Amino acid sequence: MDLLIKLLDQLDVLLLKFTSKSLTEPEMQSKLEARKSSRRENFARKKAEYEIRKKERERIAQEKREQEKQEVLAILSQFVAMDQLNYTDYEYNEVRRNRKFFRSVEQRVFEPGEYGLSFISCEFDKSSKREIYGYLFVTNKRVFFIDKRLGNFHKFNYRTILNVSWFRDGVLEKGLYIQYGKRRLEFDEMFDMDQMKRVGNLILRKASR
């Protein structure tokens, strides 16, 4: 900004010398100083106005972020037992990106008195020819898998779960095996190791009671 003002000042000198040859040196200097002063006042005013607009935009953005956070936490509190467990960044971000889906699960899938403990996005390998992408939920009452359209729903009782183990499926992907009676359920395409272990350990803990 200072460089621009200096360039404009120098341009004024050249223009006045070219267009105002009849002016005396003191008159020219007075005119130049008046233009400099006006220009600096104008730039200062515009800068102040810009800073005010910038602060207002930042305030509005901060309010929106805080409003979004409170909305996400309100939904998240139905899917993570926050009085027993801290929510993870993974859980927060999944709810933030998929608020409509999680609200629908709470309203249309949860039973009376049911609340979530944790969850993870994954693919359910229902058979060798059929794979369904959705979320695996751990609640106080059961484990269930549901796709994002709420069209494929599969629930599993803790009493029938015998074991849970995790495996690697390629370089980045991980998965869970749940021994459900005589059946081995496979959930893969999990990309967060810590979240996968959190979900697996919660299922084991609930199943062993």
Side-chain angles (χ1 to χ4, degrees):
M1 186 69 74
D2 291 340
L3 180 60
L4 177 60
I5 292 174
K6 288 179 181 178
L7 288 172
L8 290 172
D9 289 345
Q10 291 172 4
L11 184 60
D12 268 348
V13 173
L14 295 173
L15 286 172
L16 278 175
K17 284 183 177 180
F18 182 74
T19 60
S20 306
K21 295 180 180 180
S22 60
L23 293 177
T24 63
E25 186 65 25
E27 288 173 335
M28 188 176 291
Q29 287 299 321
S30 176
K31 203 163 188 177
L32 284 171
E33 287 302 321
R35 288 193 179 187
K36 286 180 182 180
S37 177
S38 175
R39 181 175 293 116
R40 280 160 175 73
E41 287 176 3
N42 188 41
F43 271 95
R45 185 181 69 256
K46 288 183 177 180
K47 184 178 180 181
E49 290 171 352
Y50 168 79
E51 290 297 330
I52 290 172
R53 289 195 300 270
K54 181 182 176 183
K55 286 181 180 179
E56 181 63 12
R57 286 195 300 269
E58 289 173 350
R59 184 188 66 78
I60 292 171
Q62 178 61 34
E63 284 183 358
K64 285 183 177 179
R65 285 193 295 269
E66 186 58 32
Q67 184 180 355
E68 179 188 63
K69 182 179 180 180
Q70 294 307 316
E71 182 183 353
V72 171
L73 289 177
I75 300 170
L76 189 59
S77 67
Q78 303 303 310
F79 293 91
V80 177
M82 293 172 132
D83 56 335
Q84 305 168 34
L85 303 165
N86 240 335
Y87 66 86
T88 63
D89 288 341
Y90 175 92
E91 291 162 340
Y92 181 90
N93 289 326
E94 286 295 318
V95 171
R96 181 177 59 82
R97 288 191 293 261
N98 301 284
R99 277 170 273 185
K100 186 177 179 180
F101 166 74
F102 280 90
R103 282 197 199 97
S104 296
V105 171
E106 178 195 352
Q107 295 165 3
R108 296 168 57 185
V109 182
F110 274 10
E111 297 175 345
E114 185 172 24
Y115 57 85
L117 300 175
S118 190
F119 57 85
I120 190 167
S121 62
C122 61
E123 189 175 74
F124 179 26
D125 292 345
K126 193 175 181 185
S127 68
S128 60
K129 295 181 179 180
R130 191 178 181 202
E131 298 174 335
I132 311 166
Y133 189 77
Y135 283 85
L136 184 66
F137 289 91
V138 186
T139 80
N140 61 319
K141 292 188 173 185
R142 57 188 172 165
V143 177
F144 66 82
F145 174 88
I146 192 165
D147 71 352
K148 292 188 74 170
R149 294 184 178 182
L150 308 186
N152 281 286
F153 176 73
H154 305 274
K155 62 181 179 179
F156 312 104
N157 296 318
Y158 285 119
R159 286 174 298 184
T160 312
I161 295 174
L162 303 178
N163 193 28
V164 178
S165 58
W166 35 85
F167 62 90
R168 280 194 177 276
D169 186 16
V171 179
L172 297 175
E173 298 176 24
K174 295 96 181 168
L176 286 176
Y177 288 132
I178 298 178
Q179 191 63 42
Y180 193 66
K182 294 181 179 180
R183 295 168 58 199
R184 188 178 74 168
L185 308 175
E186 182 177 330
F187 301 90
D188 57 14
E189 289 204 22
M190 299 177 180
F191 297 95
D192 189 303
M193 175 69 83
D194 291 335
Q195 189 67 20
M196 181 192 69
K197 288 182 176 180
R198 174 180 170 95
V199 167
N201 286 331
L202 280 168
I203 295 172
L204 275 173
R205 196 181 309 161
K206 294 290 290 183
S208 62
R209 288 180 181 177

